[in-house]
Amino acid sequence: MTSDHPHVPHLTTALTGPLQQIESHLLEQQSRIEAWLRAQWRETPAPLYASVDLRNAGFKLAPVDTNLFPAGFNNLNPAFLPLCIQAFQTKMEHICETASNILLVPEEHTRNLFYLESVATLRDIILKAGYQVRIGSTREDLDAPLTLDLPSGGQLTLEPIQRRGNRVYLEGFDPCMVLLNNDLIGGHPEKLRDLEQMVIPPPDLGWTVRLKSGHFTHYHEVATEFARMLDIDPWLINPMFRNCGELNFQKREGEECLLINAGRLLEDIQRKYDEYDIDREPFVVIKADAGTYGMAIMSVTSVDELRSLNRKQRNKMGSMKGGASVSKFLLQEGVYTFETWGAEEAVAEPVVYMIDHFVVGGFYRVHKGRGVHENLNAPGMQFEPLAFVESCINPDTNQAPDAEPNRFYAYGVIARLALLAAARELADHREELAEGAAEAQA
């Protein structure tokens, strides 16, 4: 499954049989797949936006993370900007047809200029979709507008959020909707609690409450339903996982549960590798059950590796972005990435972006300093974004199943399955709110 295209990584593995089988199924069953997905979106509307990290092992294509507060809009191919604008317009017509003023609330940190470029791109999408938008900050030390110069030559102005009663506003700007681009790993800001304005995505889908294990429980169900429809093995698109209760790496509390579950997961992966004659070493990724930015994450190939962690490794697993402590962990089947870029064969992994249920583009993380089994989104690690040159919605049945447009289509399908899992998370949240409201009135 290789490519001569200068903008698409090579898939450097001979173990492409099962994946080509999946791609063939996706092409042959395209109309059935799209009809099934349309029915799912009617029953369970998609979140406003999301990004999905995929790993392509040649023998397996699966999501490993789904982010409901995507932070890389600046990495998308500018040619796909019209797709973003139209998708945003479509979603807004469904969730808040009378909206005109939107308050965009980003992460609080201002030192990450690459992230601020993403915020600026998102701002431009909203403006071009026909809405007024300004950017509000929950930072306590911000008491006046702050204009920041961006590497692209543009600027971004952060304004202090003010609150009156149950409404938030900026000086001279009364928003009818709050758009969060903040994963709330540091907690739910008081200024944004109990607002009468619509807040999208709901704050309870931030990492203060949301768990990856919950998401992948939903994804397991979605992948099983989808695989049954296509008559394929769901393992080919679904990473196995386990989790424990409370864990403390520094104090080694809960370690026995961790060792047992890691050992069982490695055995489960080995059984599937044996079934498909895959001559690779299984590995398990242990990551914080909440949070992003590649923190509190490690991969191991044996239980002995876990037993022999040194103090530095244990401390690294104990904290997240902003210093938040970590006590819940997800043990996930490690999925190799065998896509490589350039003469140096830098490791690459695809990230797919969606607004509403529409795939609007994506990019590859290309990393020269990481291995095929390592996380490519780690703090202190520089990766190069490589924008997708083709959309993920235009397969070509006249080409081979592993041709570039068909590979991108496969990415779009699997990413939308993860999006559907996130939609079911959102539906669960709405159901819990409705039950809570009913109990309060009883």
Side-chain angles (χ1 to χ4, degrees):
M1 197 173 177
T2 60
S3 169
D4 296 323
H5 197 292
H7 297 298
V8 180
H10 289 266
L11 185 56
T12 53
T13 175
L15 298 168
T16 58
L19 193 57
Q20 287 194 28
Q21 178 190 7
I22 294 174
E23 291 164 335
S24 296
H25 273 291
L26 297 183
L27 287 175
E28 293 166 1
Q29 303 288 337
Q30 183 194 358
S31 60
R32 189 178 180 193
I33 290 167
E34 298 300 331
W36 183 82
L37 283 169
R38 286 193 295 270
Q40 297 299 318
W41 302 132
R42 285 194 296 271
E43 182 178 340
T44 316
L48 174 68
Y49 54 16
S51 65
V52 176
D53 295 0
L54 300 175
R55 302 278 285 195
N56 188 345
F59 56 85
K60 178 169 186 153
L61 174 62
V64 293
D65 265 316
T66 301
N67 187 358
L68 296 182
F69 304 91
F73 283 99
N74 56 312
N75 296 327
L76 302 182
N77 189 332
F80 299 154
L81 193 62
L83 291 178
C84 298
I85 295 167
Q86 190 170 32
F88 190 84
Q89 289 171 327
T90 300
K91 187 63 175 179
M92 289 300 297
E93 289 170 4
H94 284 95
I95 63 175
C96 192
E97 61 183 14
T98 60
S100 56
N101 293 349
I102 296 176
L103 175 62
L104 175 57
V105 180
E107 300 280 351
E108 292 187 3
H109 54 74
T110 56
R111 289 178 296 178
N112 186 339
L113 295 179
F114 295 107
Y115 169 66
L116 293 178
E117 291 280 16
S118 175
V119 175
T121 304
L122 180 56
R123 173 202 61 193
D124 293 347
I125 290 169
I126 298 169
L127 281 171
K128 291 177 181 179
Y131 297 89
Q132 294 294 320
V133 58
R134 281 163 65 177
I135 302 169
S137 174
T138 57
R139 282 175 47 186
E140 295 296 333
D141 63 339
L142 189 68
D143 55 12
L146 174 65
T147 299
L148 302 165
D149 294 322
L150 303 178
S152 62
Q155 290 185 323
L156 193 72
T157 299
L158 302 176
E159 302 180 66
I161 292 176
Q162 302 178 54
R163 178 162 176 157
R164 184 185 300 114
N166 290 333
R167 294 187 67 84
V168 289
Y169 65 97
L170 305 179
E171 191 67 36
F173 187 74
D174 183 21
C176 40
M177 191 187 103
V178 177
L179 174 56
L180 279 183
N181 195 247
N182 184 326
D183 64 19
L184 304 181
I185 187 65
H188 190 169
E190 286 299 322
K191 284 182 180 177
L192 300 181
R193 288 186 180 275
D194 303 319
L195 296 179
E196 62 182 55
Q197 292 137 309
M198 179 181 292
V199 181
I200 301 292
D204 282 350
L205 290 185
W207 291 123
T208 311
V209 178
R210 183 178 179 236
L211 295 176
K212 294 176 185 177
S213 53
H215 171 75
F216 280 102
T217 297
H218 280 295
Y219 183 79
H220 173 78
E221 295 169 356
V222 168
T224 300
E225 295 167 21
F226 183 79
R228 187 182 302 121
M229 178 182 71
L230 291 191
D231 192 26
I232 62 173
D233 182 353
W235 176 76
L236 298 173
I237 58 172
N238 183 22
M240 294 184 283
F241 74 95
R242 289 173 175 265
N243 63 333
C244 294
E246 296 287 318
L247 281 174
N248 187 312
F249 270 85
Q250 290 101 326
K251 297 180 180 178
R252 308 186 81 130
E253 293 172 353
E255 184 176 65
E256 193 59 31
C257 174
L258 176 68
L259 297 175
I260 290 171
N261 278 283
R264 288 174 178 169
L265 187 51
L266 285 166
E267 291 171 1
D268 291 341
I269 300 168
Q270 185 63 64
R271 275 192 288 272
K272 297 304 291 189
Y273 280 17
D274 291 344
E275 180 182 341
Y276 286 97
D277 295 321
I278 295 166
D279 186 20
R280 288 284 170 176
E281 186 175 28
F283 69 101
V284 167
V285 176
I286 302 168
K287 61 177 82 172
D289 208 355
T292 53
Y293 288 89
M295 301 180 75
I297 183 169
M298 66 184 301
S299 53
V300 298
T301 58
S302 71
V303 172
D304 288 339
E305 278 187 64
L306 279 176
R307 284 199 182 97
S308 59
L309 293 179
N310 60 38
R311 180 180 296 179
K312 182 179 178 181
Q313 290 170 314
R314 291 181 182 279
N315 289 339
K316 178 185 171 185
M317 295 297 288
S319 63
M320 285 290 300
K321 180 184 71 173
S325 61
V326 185
S327 61
K328 291 185 172 67
F329 290 87
L330 176 76
L331 286 72
Q332 187 178 64
E333 173 190 353
V335 182
Y336 285 94
T337 179
F338 287 127
E339 291 188 278
T340 59
W341 169 254
E344 296 177 327
E345 296 193 341
V347 176
E349 68 179 11
V351 185
V352 179
Y353 269 61
M354 290 154 291
I355 296 177
D356 194 12
H357 59 267
F358 302 104
V359 179
V360 295
F363 60 91
Y364 282 96
R365 289 194 185 99
V366 180
H367 208 310
K368 296 177 182 177
R370 306 291 270 182
V372 294
H373 67 286
E374 292 183 283
N375 172 44
L376 302 193
N377 185 22
M381 289 292 181
Q382 296 299 314
F383 68 83
E384 295 296 325
L386 178 68
F388 288 179
V389 292
E390 298 187 47
S391 73
C392 299
I393 56 175
N394 190 27
D396 187 349
T397 56
N398 293 318
Q399 296 192 51
D402 58 354
E404 287 148 15
N406 299 330
R407 194 200 304 188
F408 284 122
Y409 178 66
Y411 291 165
V413 171
I414 303 305
R416 282 182 288 168
L417 296 182
L419 183 70
L420 178 55
R424 293 183 180 182
E425 287 182 82
L426 182 57
D428 283 353
H429 169 68
R430 288 174 176 151
E431 189 174 317
E432 289 169 3
L433 285 181
E435 290 175 353
E439 290 175 1
Q441 291 178 351

